[in-house]
Amino acid sequence: MKSPAAIAAAYETAGTGKTQMSFRKTFLLGILAGAYIALGGLGSQIASVCAPDPSAARVISSVVFPIGLFMVLIGGAELFTGNCLILIPVLSKKATLKGMLRNWLIVYFGNMVGAFIIAFIANFSHTYAFADGALAKAVVSTAVAKSSISFGDGLLKGILCNVLVCMAVWCSFSADEIAGKVLALWLPVMLFIICGFEHSVANMYFIPAGLMASSVYGIAADGLSLFGFFVTNLIPVTLGNIIGGSLCIGATYYAIYLKD
């Protein structure tokens, strides 16, 4: 297992490489990551829809959802929330601020495209008809709840979410073998799902999926709109994810292990 100092050095190199990739490669890897996270979200919804109570549903979801991040990290895709750690090589002057912001922008919209694709396919393949339509109702209910979150809740839950997601990425760097990486990334992601924190890329799937499902299955969705998706949810959650990943984890570990 690598020491925390060795992890910091390893990510410094990896993060620098992320800022130097071409637009095409970065965008395509972003699409893949958005799709992988969306598939993890879809699987977690299917697994938990018939749970006997909300606590059991969250525990079941937490076991399945990390499969998305597993595919991102092992498959080498580009995920916006994990890439908030690129602040580490920026602070150590191995990468530029412009390069980091370029990566974030390309990956963010790539993630959104990938998540939308899965939401579209899941709806029009009638995957949500599972359990006599109970899944479709749950998908819409989740989207409504996320679209009505307050700015403060979205920001703070976004911070805590990406503290855990970036810790999952950080811990995965400690292992050289796939089994160790899987175990290291799984546990922090499980915790963020159990706690009900907000992940911007996951929400790029959850809310559009609910918007589409309300139309496809004729389910009432009061308050569910594109405004709620972009303004009420994505803006505060994305800001929170940046603070949690870049400042709380990235800048802190830089200050501990890399700053002279």
Side-chain angles (χ1 to χ4, degrees), residues 18-150:
K18 290 175 182 292
T19 67
Q20 297 169 347
M21 286 194 299
S22 68
F23 174 90
R24 179 185 61 83
K25 185 175 181 179
T26 304
F27 188 65
L28 290 175
L29 289 173
I31 292 173
L32 288 175
Y36 295 156
I37 293 298
L39 286 168
L42 172 58
S44 71
Q45 289 176 313
I46 293 170
S48 63
V49 69
C50 295
D53 60 73
S55 293
R58 283 200 181 181
V59 172
I60 294 167
S61 292
S62 75
V63 174
V64 177
F65 185 86
I67 296 172
L69 187 61
F70 162 77
M71 291 189 288
V72 169
L73 294 179
I74 305 303
E78 291 290 306
L79 182 66
F80 168 75
T81 46
N83 284 7
C84 286
L85 288 173
I86 294 175
L87 186 62
I88 292 173
V90 171
L91 291 174
S92 63
K93 296 182 171 56
K94 298 292 179 63
T96 65
L97 179 62
K98 179 181 178 181
M100 179 183 76
L101 295 177
R102 172 184 174 275
N103 176 276
W104 284 1
L105 188 64
I106 297 169
V107 169
Y108 191 84
F109 285 103
N111 290 169
M112 189 176 293
V113 170
F116 282 5
I117 290 170
I118 299 303
F120 179 87
I121 294 173
N123 266 286
F124 291 97
S125 65
H126 296 97
T127 299
Y128 298 140
F130 177 72
D132 295 324
L135 179 59
K137 294 176 183 177
V139 168
V140 173
S141 177
T142 297
V144 169
K146 287 181 175 293
S147 293
S148 58
I149 194 170
S150 71

Side-chain angles (χ1 to χ4, degrees), residues 134-208:
L135 179 59
K137 294 176 183 177
V139 168
V140 173
S141 177
T142 297
V144 169
K146 287 181 175 293
S147 293
S148 58
I149 194 170
S150 71
F151 187 94
D153 284 359
L155 180 72
L156 295 175
K157 288 183 177 181
I159 291 172
L160 293 176
C161 170
N162 217 27
V163 164
L164 291 172
V165 171
C166 284
M167 278 308 301
V169 174
W170 180 272
C171 292
S172 75
F173 270 73
S174 69
D176 294 319
E177 296 183 359
I178 190 169
K181 287 184 178 291
V182 170
L183 179 62
L185 69 87
W186 217 276
L187 299 177
V189 177
M190 284 183 66
L191 184 57
F192 113 65
I193 295 296
I194 289 172
C195 293
F197 297 147
E198 294 288 322
H199 187 272
S200 58
V201 179
N203 290 351
M204 293 172 187
Y205 159 74
F206 285 126
I207 300 176

